[in-house]
């Protein structure tokens, strides 16, 4: 994969996906949507923890990625909302 990306970058500018949070907000997800079955009994609220959606709502995340690819993106990413925060974020207490 790294080799492919490097080769493409030598040929042209690559397009990265865009406002993932905005795309997620269009789905108007509620607390239960963020929890799914896997986190149904979690001890704190999880609404807004977009990283969890790859586990609890994979079809939504897949659909958003497909939309970006159809629009011409070369690269899509996920689980990067809290990449700059410690794993045990105070907001979600070590989800």
């Amino acid at each position: 994969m790294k080799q492919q990306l490097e080769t493409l970058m030598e040929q042209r500018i690559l397009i990265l996906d865009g406002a993932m949070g905005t795309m997620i907000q269009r789905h108007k997800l509620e607390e239960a949507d963020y929890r799914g079955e896997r986190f149904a009994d979690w001890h704190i609220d999880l609404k807004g923890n977009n990283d969890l959606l790859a586990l609890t709502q994979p079809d939504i995340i897949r659909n958003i990625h497909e939309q970006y690819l159809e629009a011409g993106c070369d690269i899509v990413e996920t689980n990067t909302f809290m990449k700059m925060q410690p794993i045990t974020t105070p907001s979600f207490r070590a989800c």
Side-chain angles (χ1 to χ4, degrees):
M1 178 64 76
K2 181 180 177 183
Q3 178 75 31
Q4 291 173 318
L5 286 174
E6 288 175 352
T7 299
L8 284 172
M9 288 188 290
E10 289 173 3
Q11 299 170 2
R12 63 185 175 86
I13 296 172
L14 301 182
I15 308 298
L16 183 65
D17 64 359
M20 190 72 172
T22 301
M23 297 292 278
I24 289 170
Q25 287 175 357
R26 291 180 178 179
H27 289 272
K28 301 190 184 309
L29 301 174
E30 298 297 331
E31 178 68 25
D33 300 313
Y34 280 86
R35 290 177 174 273
E37 291 180 25
R38 185 172 185 164
F39 298 101
D41 297 323
W42 200 254
H43 62 285
I44 59 167
D45 290 344
L46 298 174
K47 184 176 179 180
N49 188 338
N50 291 335
D51 288 340
L52 281 181
L53 297 176
L55 300 173
T56 61
Q57 299 295 328
D59 292 338
I60 289 175
I61 301 303
R62 184 179 306 110
N63 179 268
I64 292 170
H65 285 170
E66 288 172 354
Q67 290 177 55
Y68 277 119
L69 292 170
E70 289 170 6
C73 285
D74 298 299
I75 302 170
V76 293
E77 58 184 337
T78 195
N79 289 343
T80 58
F81 288 99
M82 296 191 296
K83 67 182 172 192
M84 299 304 286
Q85 298 177 10
I87 293 173
T88 56
T89 59
S91 301
F92 300 107
R93 296 188 190 104
C95 302

